[in-house]
Amino acid sequence: MDSLCQRLAAELTGRRIAIENEAEYLNSAVLVPIIRRDNELHILFEVRSASLNRQPGEICFPGGRIEAGETAGAAAVRETAEEIGIAADSITLLGPLNYVVSPIGVILHPFAGCLADDTVLHPDPREVAELFTVPLPWLLSHEPQEGHMEVATRPLPGFPLHLLPPSYPEDWKQRKSYPVLFYRYGPYVIWGLTARILATFVKMVRETGIAGEGKY
């Protein structure tokens, strides 16, 4: 017994911990792009192309799947450069925000970054229908609306229900609810994971005290 425990301790010490079922999630990185417009800091958003298979027409931050061997930060910069048509070296990566694990099967690694003042945007029409910005002072002075979504599960055909207790439901089983945030800015509705990341970023800016010093 002691020998087994010692061998396990040697194996586990210093072991890099990973998410066991990470392959079951869409693992992506996004950038919260800060850009200057009319001497004021803005946050840049995309409206996704209507021709995309996933979330067509929705509002998001630029970003995408993390490729094999690529860091999350590198993926955020690469995807942003590709989607909004700019050089990667015009993006200054400021650092990571809290990553988000969504009940709908997405892991997002968000980063904040600044775009160079002279950056000219050329969005890829295959992915981006429109770009727009929201002034940071507006975001600091507006709270998002909150709703709630429910997650449920049900066994699919072939699921071995006979191995479970008889009380286990054969149809939908309610699991949990989670908050969904919404920002309304003019004709745009920023919601879901994008709004969740945005709210985290805005909260961080408030807490730094930068907002109160007028350092825009």
Side-chain angles (χ1 to χ4, degrees), residues 167-187:
S167 59
Y168 196 92
E170 297 184 17
D171 204 350
W172 289 102
K173 180 177 182 179
Q174 295 177 345
R175 292 294 185 180
K176 62 168 292 184
S177 65
Y178 62 95
V180 180
L181 302 182
F182 299 82
Y183 287 89
R184 298 183 63 180
Y185 180 75

Side-chain angles (χ1 to χ4, degrees), residues 34-43 117 133-140 185 214-216:
I34 305 166
I35 189 168
R36 192 177 299 277
R37 289 285 185 265
D38 301 322
N39 293 319
E40 191 172 61
L41 294 185
H42 286 227
I43 305 300
D117 285 348
T133 67
V134 179
L136 183 56
W138 186 93
L139 291 166
L140 290 166
Y185 180 75
K215 294 182 179 178
Y216 301 140

Side-chain angles (χ1 to χ4, degrees), residues 117-189:
D117 285 348
D118 58 351
T119 301
V120 179
L121 308 178
H122 300 284
D124 183 348
R126 295 169 299 179
E127 298 192 61
V128 181
E130 180 185 353
L131 296 173
F132 70 95
T133 67
V134 179
L136 183 56
W138 186 93
L139 291 166
L140 290 166
S141 62
H142 288 76
E143 294 295 333
Q145 181 180 340
E146 183 174 311
H148 286 83
M149 193 80 78
E150 186 175 67
V151 176
T153 59
R154 68 171 176 177
L156 292 177
F159 188 88
L161 274 170
H162 64 282
L163 299 178
L164 302 181
S167 59
Y168 196 92
E170 297 184 17
D171 204 350
W172 289 102
K173 180 177 182 179
Q174 295 177 345
R175 292 294 185 180
K176 62 168 292 184
S177 65
Y178 62 95
V180 180
L181 302 182
F182 299 82
Y183 287 89
R184 298 183 63 180
Y185 180 75
Y188 304 106
V189 177

Side-chain angles (χ1 to χ4, degrees), residues 23 51 55 74 77 131:
S51 63
Q55 297 177 298
V77 169
L131 296 173

Side-chain angles (χ1 to χ4, degrees), residues 7 16-17 20 48 63 77 83 93 96 124 168 173-174 180 194 204:
R7 290 170 62 187
R16 178 184 174 272
I17 302 301
E20 177 64 31
R48 292 170 62 84
V77 169
E83 291 175 11
L93 198 64
D124 183 348
Y168 196 92
K173 180 177 182 179
Q174 295 177 345
V180 180
T194 300
M204 182 197 68

Side-chain angles (χ1 to χ4, degrees), residues 67-98:
E67 302 293 347
E70 185 179 40
T71 67
V77 169
R78 174 182 56 78
E79 289 281 352
T80 298
E82 293 173 359
E83 291 175 11
I84 66 177
I86 64 175
D89 61 8
S90 66
I91 302 169
T92 300
L93 198 64
L94 301 180
L97 305 173
N98 292 339

